[in-house]
Amino acid sequence: MTQTALIIDDEPAILELLAITLLRMGIDTRQANSLASAYQLLSEQAFDLCLTDMHLPDGSSLELVAHIQQAHPNTPIAVITAFGSIDTAIEALKLGAFDFVSKPVELPRLRDMVKQALKLQNNTEEAVDSKNTTTELLGQSSSIHKLRGQISKVARSQAPVYISGESGSGKELVARMIHQFSPRADAPFVPVNCGAIPTELMESEFFGHKKGSFTGAVTDKTGLFQSAQGGTLFLDEVADLPLHMQVKLLRTIQEKTVRPIGSQHEEALDVRILSATHKDLAKEVKNGNFRQDMFYRINVIEINVPSLRERQEDIALLADFFLEKLGQANGTSAAQLSPAALTTLQNYTFPGNVRELENTLERAYTLCENNVIDSDDLQLRPTEVAAPPNTTTETTATAPAPVTTSAPSHDSGSLDNYLEEIEKQAILKALEETRWNRTAAAEKLGISFRQIRHRLKKFGIE
């Protein structure tokens, strides 16, 4: 069946260029030169795609984007903007536009965008109907149902998405689902922990380099952006990026081009950017640790992943899933939770969220007798639960027993050694309290992931 696109522009030459380009792709077109004529055509027939200039004689296409999202939600709409009109394009993306292209229109970029948009019909149905994917988001709580709906919507767009949430809550899982249900599903999904890359290697890692561009560059290297070509680049712990690197990434994201170190030529990019951090990124901007322009560029759409304590009714389902997974990995039947153990889990605050639940069950699975996990096997102790204002805090949850740490004696030795020992003990204590989650431990200590990684290496802590 032939697909049909609605193209809207008040310049006859642009309309003709778009029509010819789409016709060569096997797509029929209907043409309009104003909002009024576009609304009329939309009322007469359904379209597989809509391309519109941003500024029309009788109004802004932002109105048309909002109208299509309301009246024709399955029709992807892309906007054509004047060169440098990034702010307007971002506003269109926030309203629900699929993507944008800048004038003068580059035909290869236009064709790629059209191909991506036309994939949406099948992928959206798969996203709604599929319940048994490898990246399924488990849970029946209202917050998880809401999250699934958000994922289904943003997967249709090419807009950058910022995923916020606590450590261990499943931010990378959400990113993978957005990719999986998008038109880019067949292309690479490239995750990168921004806090785990040494500062001096960042530019080479992200942009790649040419042989001989610096000492040690013995071969050409493909950067992370190039590796994600046609797909999705997931910037995890984006708040850990140093300011100088934020500037370079911002330009690459805005211009959609990349120049490897040592190259004289820029390469066109077709990559969707997803990012995440457990930190309050707006607060990081306020404190001067994160660039405001970078924040606005990656935060076109924000999705918040709920913590496990916000969806405690999902704990039983998640526990069954993890125990079944453990049983399969060990070639045995899945262990069962006793009623007391389930109650203990449901009353625990889980500062490490789903990741901590999985680690807790793995330990309990190893220690339990007769394939039944009891409360004692969980090795949790009472901990404070957040209480409502003006009420007394009650202890109803449990947490791992802490490692006993104390300040070392300063009977002898240098002051430097004494201070290093105190620092080492503080790091060990934070790691134990977070079940050796380095990201959470760094947050607890008020340092970056890179800093705690350096200190772990320095003190020989594995």
Side-chain angles (χ1 to χ4, degrees), residues 24-237:
R24 288 175 176 172
M25 297 176 68
I27 303 169
D28 289 341
T29 63
R30 297 291 300 276
Q31 301 174 22
N33 58 12
S34 66
L35 284 177
S37 56
Y39 288 139
Q40 180 63 36
L41 289 172
L42 283 167
S43 68
E44 294 174 359
Q45 72 176 94
F47 292 94
D48 298 292
L49 170 68
C50 180
L51 291 175
T52 179
D53 187 26
M54 182 60 73
H55 300 291
L56 297 168
D58 52 349
S60 168
S61 285
L62 293 177
E63 302 170 27
L64 181 62
V65 173
H67 171 77
I68 286 181
Q69 285 300 301
Q70 182 67 31
H72 310 279
N74 291 326
T75 301
I77 177 171
V79 296
I80 304 171
T81 68
F83 178 76
S85 302
I86 294 296
D87 291 341
T88 308
I90 289 176
E91 185 64 27
L93 292 174
K94 287 184 175 181
L95 288 173
F98 165 76
D99 204 351
F100 72 92
V101 63
S102 298
K103 293 182 179 178
V105 178
E106 297 179 2
L107 295 185
R109 162 84 176 117
L110 175 65
R111 285 191 285 265
D112 287 342
M113 184 178 69
V114 169
K115 289 175 184 177
Q116 295 283 1
L118 294 177
K119 291 180 182 179
L120 283 173
Q121 300 295 331
N122 292 335
N123 281 1
T124 301
E125 293 171 5
E126 291 169 7
V128 173
D129 296 336
S130 175
K131 299 297 180 183
N132 297 305
T133 66
T134 56
T135 53
E136 184 179 2
L137 191 65
L138 293 173
Q140 296 300 325
S141 61
S142 59
S143 60
I144 288 299
H145 281 297
K146 177 183 176 182
L147 182 57
R148 288 197 192 102
Q150 291 176 319
I151 290 170
S152 178
K153 288 180 180 178
V154 302
R156 293 175 53 81
S157 169
Q158 296 297 293
V161 178
Y162 167 56
I163 306 168
S164 60
E166 297 179 5
S167 293
S169 56
K171 297 186 292 295
E172 183 172 341
L173 176 59
V174 170
R176 288 184 181 277
M177 290 184 69
I178 292 173
H179 172 76
Q180 180 181 350
F181 298 143
S182 77
R184 299 176 177 271
D186 295 332
F189 175 85
V190 180
V192 52
N193 188 324
C194 297
I197 304 176
T199 303
E200 63 274 12
L201 297 180
M202 277 192 168
E203 192 169 351
S204 174
E205 287 294 318
F206 278 109
F207 308 136
H209 64 248
K210 294 297 183 181
K211 179 180 178 180
S213 56
F214 56 86
T215 303
V218 295
T219 60
D220 288 353
K221 176 181 174 60
T222 301
L224 292 166
F225 275 100
Q226 295 95 321
S227 297
Q229 182 74 344
T232 303
L233 180 62
F234 175 50
L235 303 175
D236 197 9
E237 298 304 341

Side-chain angles (χ1 to χ4, degrees), residues 196-411:
I197 304 176
T199 303
E200 63 274 12
L201 297 180
M202 277 192 168
E203 192 169 351
S204 174
E205 287 294 318
F206 278 109
F207 308 136
H209 64 248
K210 294 297 183 181
K211 179 180 178 180
S213 56
F214 56 86
T215 303
V218 295
T219 60
D220 288 353
K221 176 181 174 60
T222 301
L224 292 166
F225 275 100
Q226 295 95 321
S227 297
Q229 182 74 344
T232 303
L233 180 62
F234 175 50
L235 303 175
D236 197 9
E237 298 304 341
V238 68
D240 288 342
L241 283 171
L243 290 171
H244 78 277
M245 199 62 205
Q246 292 174 32
V247 176
K248 295 178 180 180
L249 287 182
L250 177 62
R251 184 185 182 282
T252 298
I253 294 169
Q254 287 189 165
E255 301 300 326
K256 297 185 177 180
T257 59
V258 62
R259 179 183 294 177
I261 299 173
S263 174
Q264 300 301 314
H265 306 287
E266 292 193 332
E267 303 172 7
L269 280 179
D270 176 24
V271 175
R272 187 181 190 183
I273 303 296
L274 307 180
S275 57
T277 181
H278 69 280
K279 296 181 180 179
D280 184 338
L281 206 52
K283 186 177 179 181
E284 292 296 305
V285 171
K286 185 177 179 180
N287 292 338
N289 299 323
F290 201 83
R291 291 179 60 94
Q292 188 174 54
D293 49 3
M294 180 70 168
F295 174 65
Y296 287 140
R297 194 66 187 90
I298 65 173
N299 190 26
V300 174
I301 301 173
E302 180 175 354
I303 289 182
N304 180 259
V305 183
S307 64
L308 189 53
R309 60 184 173 278
E310 294 177 82
R311 56 185 188 106
Q312 289 183 324
E313 60 267 45
D314 292 333
I315 288 178
L317 180 62
L318 288 165
D320 287 344
F321 172 78
F322 289 134
L323 291 175
E324 182 68 31
K325 180 180 174 183
L326 285 168
Q328 291 178 358
N330 290 276
T332 63
S333 58
Q336 302 296 312
L337 285 171
S338 71
L342 179 58
T343 299
T344 299
L345 291 175
Q346 290 175 328
N347 288 333
Y348 180 44
T349 56
F350 282 104
N353 293 289
V354 178
R355 185 186 296 126
E356 182 180 0
L357 172 63
E358 182 176 11
N359 292 342
T360 298
L361 290 172
E362 184 172 3
R363 181 179 61 250
Y365 174 82
T366 304
L367 298 174
C368 73
E369 297 288 343
N370 300 319
N371 224 27
V372 176
I373 296 175
D374 207 351
S375 292
D376 292 340
D377 299 319
L378 299 173
Q379 291 191 345
L380 302 172
R381 67 171 177 79
T383 189
E384 290 185 346
V385 176
N390 302 320
T391 63
T392 303
T393 300
E394 61 181 13
T395 57
T396 59
T398 53
V403 171
T404 302
T405 59
S406 59
S409 171
H410 187 44
D411 295 334

